[in-house]
Amino acid sequence: MQKHLSLRSYLLLSFWILLILSMLLPTWYYYRNLTQQAMNDAREAAVRQLNLFHALILNDSNIRSVADLQTWFEKTAKPAQLRLTYVAAGGRVIADSEVPASSIRDLDNHASRPEIMQARTEDVGITIRYSRVSRQDQIFVARRIQPNDPIPPGILRLAGPISPLKGLLDRLWNSFLIVTALIFLASVVLSYALIRQLRLPIGNLVEVVEALGTGDYGRRSRLSPGHEFFPLAQAINRTGENFGKKISEISEEKQQLEAVFDGMQEGVMVLDSRGKIRTINRALSELIATASNSVGKRPLEVIMSLELQEACDLILSSSSTAVSKPYNLQIVLGGNRTYDVTLVGFPERKRGMGAIAVFHDISELKRLETVRQDFVANVSHELRTPLTSIKGYTETLLAEKQPDPQMLSSFLQVIAKNTNHMVSMVDDLLRLARLESRHQSFKPAPVDPADAITAAWKACAPLAESKNIVLKSDIAPHTLHVSADYDQLVQVFRNLLENGIKYSTSDDELIVSCRIEGNRATFGIRDNGPGIPKQHQHRIFERFYRVEKHRSTHPGSTGLGLAICRHIIRNHGGRIWVESPNPEEDKGCTFFFTMFLARKDAEQEAERVTDAVDMV
Ligand code: ADP
């Protein structure tokens, strides 16, 4: 993996390279020039000395043999710390100031020495090289010489130390290199210390910025004023503060929106621009079984409605620049609930928002619509039978010119019976309509239910007597009072008792009971009739609902009695229900309804309960 140098390393490296170059380059330049100058001077001095020795040898008459020459060399050159060598033709050394005469022969042939070779062809040969004899760098100068016999002609060579200035310069250069290395080391240590010093506040700032990035908006940098990074720290702190404020504002708004979104009774589904579910609110998620993992799926995957999916696709494929026209459709969810779905496309799909679908529960509207239709159909149907009968009998009578008086009387009785039935039905319908629209105002007052039962039973007396049915009531007069409209309570008891009589067999009994719980009284009207099958029990309180489908079974029944009872009880804040069959029997039924106790009775009951608890 390629590792990049940090900016800091680049800066440091460039600084160090510059430092080294700025120290070394000028010094090296001067060292080189001075050294060259010294070498030139040394060369010239050496040539001058060689020329001097050359002249002295040629003009010294005492040098008459090679031995004299050796002696002269030793005498003259040694004290001057120079070395003189006489190389005869062929490279053989015949005299050398540094080598005793006895050892001269042992010296190797000098013909190949560079200065010797150069001297053969040029005037003077010069080299600077390491001398094995003196064990140091030396300057060698040589020139041809032709002394008197018997000394053979040859080459006179002078060797001496290079200028002392050169040595001094070399030492200086070496010391300078050491000093440079030390300065370099010191600068490395110093820059590391400085960088460490800088890294602490920068590290602190980085930590703060990272914390801000992870949502910790309370983190602040604690650099003190005067620090060079203090303005930066202040700017970061201010940014963090602003971020924190903005984020809390946004999350507050978001929470409010979510509360509204989740609190809506209508189901809401938001789709992204690709048609995938982005979010759904609580109302809708309660309707969909797979709501928990619906995010990211297509509507069809969570709501089995091809129509809804097609509508979503249509809305999303329409122009994305303007607000698209809302699209409405109806779907059934949760088994039997009907929803009116309004789909609207978002104008700016680029932000990822595609469309919003609002599910409005219209089941109640639908139900009311059906109830209305059923009601009209039922009323027409219920009225049609007696009307047809009346019409038939009337037409027959009209057709008879001289009707038989017996037939006339019996026909008129049928017409009267049907008319009564229609009147009672219309009465019931009007009563029901008044109760439903709550137009019939009622003033609840303390009512003795025993009185209401007596009045109701009186109204049913002819029917009860015809079937020899007796009433047993365990509600003694003046023992309790309920808060009710007297006439309406009588109506409830009358309807329930009438039903009890109607559906009981002859010579039976009806039992009215009462139970008190808290501030309520629960009344029960029990008969031993055929009872009401479970599946019908919750429907018998609907208008025109009859368990037996043939009206002829119980002529005169309108199917409205229990609906009226339910309305009255509801208007009084109570509840009505039926339990069938009666306990420990497989027949009969008991109708229960609740009523609030009148205030005085309720207070007494509360005291009684408290006393009972105290006694325990
Ligand atoms: P109806 O005028 O037909 O009695 P209701 O509303 O009073 O109308 O009763 C509705 C239906 O409930 C009746 O048609 C009958 O089928 C059933 N019902 C009511 N009371 C009783 C009862 N005591 N025993 C058996 N069935 C009953």
Side-chain angles (χ1 to χ4, degrees):
M1 200 174 66
Q2 198 182 357
K3 205 177 167 189
H4 290 285
L5 282 179
S6 66
L7 176 69
R8 194 184 66 214
S9 310
Y10 272 121
L11 283 175
L12 276 179
L13 271 179
S14 344
F15 166 70
W16 289 332
I17 289 170
L18 270 178
L19 179 78
I20 289 175
L21 286 180
S22 64
M23 288 187 80
L24 286 184
L25 273 182
T27 319
W28 180 77
Y29 175 76
Y30 286 117
Y31 164 76
R32 215 189 59 152
N33 277 358
L34 285 175
T35 311
Q36 254 173 15
Q37 189 63 45
M39 295 304 285
N40 287 344
D41 289 353
R43 273 195 204 96
E44 278 171 21
V47 171
R48 270 201 306 277
Q49 281 172 338
L50 180 67
N51 288 341
L52 180 66
F53 282 116
H54 180 263
L56 285 173
I57 291 167
L58 289 185
N59 295 321
D60 196 336
S61 53
N62 292 328
I63 303 169
R64 290 191 203 101
S65 65
V66 173
D68 290 342
L69 189 67
Q70 174 70 22
T71 316
W72 194 90
F73 274 12
E74 285 173 7
K75 240 183 10 195
T76 323
K78 248 190 179 162
Q81 287 187 338
L82 297 169
R83 180 184 168 197
L84 274 173
T85 311
Y86 195 100
V87 182
R92 188 171 51 89
V93 177
I94 55 169
D96 192 308
S97 61
E98 292 290 310
V99 183
S102 53
S103 308
I104 292 283
R105 282 176 187 280
D106 300 338
L107 286 173
D108 51 354
N109 192 299
H110 274 42
S112 60
R113 298 288 195 276
E115 66 278 4
I116 305 290
M117 282 164 60
Q118 195 183 0
R120 283 196 214 288
T121 52
E122 293 165 33
D123 278 352
V124 182
I126 304 176
T127 52
I128 293 172
R129 58 182 171 79
Y130 183 75
S131 157
R132 262 179 286 160
V133 176
S134 59
R135 294 207 180 91
Q136 60 178 339
D137 274 348
Q138 288 210 312
I139 184 161
F140 292 86
V141 278
R143 63 168 291 173
R144 274 168 287 166
I145 186 165
Q146 197 149 17
N148 304 325
D149 280 336
I151 299 167
I155 289 170
L156 178 65
R157 189 186 75 170
L158 175 73
I162 313 165
S163 157
L165 191 60
K166 166 82 166 72
L168 183 69
L169 283 173
D170 282 349
R171 279 198 304 282
L172 265 178
W173 174 246
N174 287 341
S175 325
F176 179 77
L177 283 182
I178 291 169
V179 170
T180 307
L182 286 178
I183 289 176
F184 178 71
L185 264 179
S187 85
V188 168
V189 172
L190 205 69
S191 27
Y192 264 106
L194 268 174
I195 282 169
R196 252 183 74 80
Q197 201 63 15
L198 279 179
R199 265 171 61 175
L200 285 176
I202 289 180
N204 173 265
L205 292 176
V206 168
E207 264 177 37
V208 174
V209 173
E210 273 177 356
L212 292 181
T214 54
D216 179 5
Y217 302 109
R219 268 297 269 283
R220 298 283 179 270
S221 167
R222 310 233 172 277
L223 288 190
S224 44
H227 196 285
E228 54 196 326
F229 289 124
F230 183 67
L232 179 60
Q234 263 189 323
I236 291 175
N237 285 351
R238 267 198 304 275
T239 312
E241 215 167 287
N242 291 342
F243 263 18
K245 263 193 219 152
K246 279 271 173 285
I247 294 287
S248 68
E249 273 172 28
I250 291 170
S251 56
E252 214 168 279
E253 274 173 24
K254 192 173 166 241
Q255 276 172 2
Q256 280 175 6
L257 279 177
E258 273 174 3
V260 172
F261 190 61
D262 274 340
M264 279 173 75
Q265 273 195 328
E266 285 80 15
V268 181
M269 175 191 276
V270 180
L271 300 179
D272 64 18
S273 50
R274 294 167 307 147
K276 300 276 169 73
I277 296 175
R278 219 169 141 149
T279 175
I280 58 175
N281 75 343
R282 194 176 317 151
L284 188 59
S285 65
E286 278 165 9
L287 288 173
I288 306 170
T290 55
S292 53
N293 52 4
S294 59
V295 173
K297 290 186 177 164
R298 296 176 73 218
L300 186 62
E301 290 173 75
V302 289
I303 297 175
M304 293 295 275
S305 165
L306 200 60
E307 211 189 338
L308 175 69
Q309 183 61 55
E310 281 171 359
C312 292
D313 294 344
L314 191 80
I315 283 278
L316 288 171
S317 62
S318 63
S319 158
S320 62
T321 46
V323 185
S324 51
K325 255 175 71 186
Y327 188 95
N328 274 80
L329 73 153
Q330 284 185 7
I331 60 168
V332 176
L333 278 182
N336 54 354
R337 315 284 305 169
T338 310
Y339 286 83
D340 181 69
V341 186
T342 309
L343 264 166
V344 194
F346 285 109
E348 287 177 61
R349 309 268 158 79
K350 274 180 224 134
R351 292 193 186 161
M353 303 283 272
I356 183 165
V358 181
F359 294 69
H360 192 78
D361 187 351
I362 54 160
S363 314
E364 189 57 20
L365 279 178
K366 277 259 167 200
R367 195 185 67 79
L368 288 177
E369 174 75 12
T370 323
V371 166
R372 195 185 59 78
Q373 283 167 358
D374 287 355
F375 179 72
V376 174
N378 278 329
V379 169
S380 324
H381 192 72
E382 296 288 338
L383 290 176
R384 197 183 162 75
T385 318
L387 273 175
T388 317
S389 167
I390 291 169
K391 187 174 178 260
Y393 282 101
T394 320
E395 281 170 1
T396 315
L397 282 181
L398 285 174
E400 291 286 332
K401 284 202 177 98
Q402 287 277 297
D404 170 29
Q406 216 181 337
M407 185 184 87
L408 180 69
S409 140
S410 95
F411 274 28
L412 285 175
Q413 268 174 21
V414 175
I415 291 171
K417 200 180 107 198
N418 278 307
T419 316
N420 285 340
H421 179 66
M422 277 183 7
V423 169
S424 75
M425 187 181 291
V426 171
D427 280 350
D428 277 357
L429 279 172
L430 281 174
R431 200 173 292 130
L432 200 58
R434 276 201 297 272
L435 286 168
E436 274 182 350
S437 63
R438 293 182 185 245
H439 281 159
Q440 194 185 38
S441 60
F442 70 95
K443 290 193 197 91
V447 174
D448 186 343
D451 289 350
I453 293 167
T454 312
W457 187 248
K458 215 183 244 173
C460 315
L463 189 63
E465 278 162 16
S466 71
K467 290 181 83 174
N468 195 24
I469 286 176
V470 290
L471 174 74
K472 279 189 182 169
S473 169
D474 64 0
I475 306 168
H478 316 301
T479 49
L480 86 144
H481 292 85
V482 289
S483 171
D485 179 289
Y486 177 76
D487 290 337
Q488 292 191 13
L489 186 60
V490 171
Q491 180 77 54
V492 172
F493 275 121
R494 184 184 164 175
N495 287 1
L496 295 177
L497 289 172
E498 239 170 30
N499 280 353
I501 298 166
K502 252 193 283 178
Y503 296 99
S504 292
T505 46
S506 301
D507 310 319
D508 209 337
E509 61 179 16
L510 296 181
I511 300 171
V512 179
S513 61
C514 176
R515 198 173 63 231
I516 292 175
E517 275 167 346
N519 58 351
R520 284 166 194 259
T522 306
F523 297 96
I525 293 95
R526 172 184 168 136
D527 65 54
N528 297 312
I532 300 165
K534 279 265 176 299
Q535 71 269 28
H536 298 293
Q537 285 178 13
H538 69 285
R539 297 208 58 191
I540 51 170
F541 297 97
E542 290 172 17
R543 282 171 296 194
F544 299 115
Y545 193 85
R546 292 185 183 87
V547 177
E548 326 72 30
K549 295 298 164 209
H550 303 291
R551 282 168 199 81
S552 55
T553 321
H554 291 286
S557 91
T558 59
L560 294 168
L562 288 178
I564 291 171
C565 290
R566 185 174 65 170
H567 271 289
I568 292 175
I569 302 296
R570 270 193 191 164
N571 288 354
H572 280 75
R575 194 165 78 84
I576 184 166
W577 73 100
V578 67
E579 285 177 13
S580 178
N582 287 321
E584 291 132 31
E585 282 183 64
D586 58 357
K587 57 177 186 146
C589 62
T590 309
F591 279 86
F592 292 98
F593 68 90
T594 61
M595 280 266 156
F596 282 113
L597 288 176
R599 184 172 287 184
K600 217 174 83 198
D601 283 21
E603 280 165 10
Q604 276 174 4
E605 175 63 14
E607 273 170 30
R608 194 187 61 73
V609 172
T610 326
D611 290 348
V613 171
D614 287 349
M615 278 168 73
V616 172

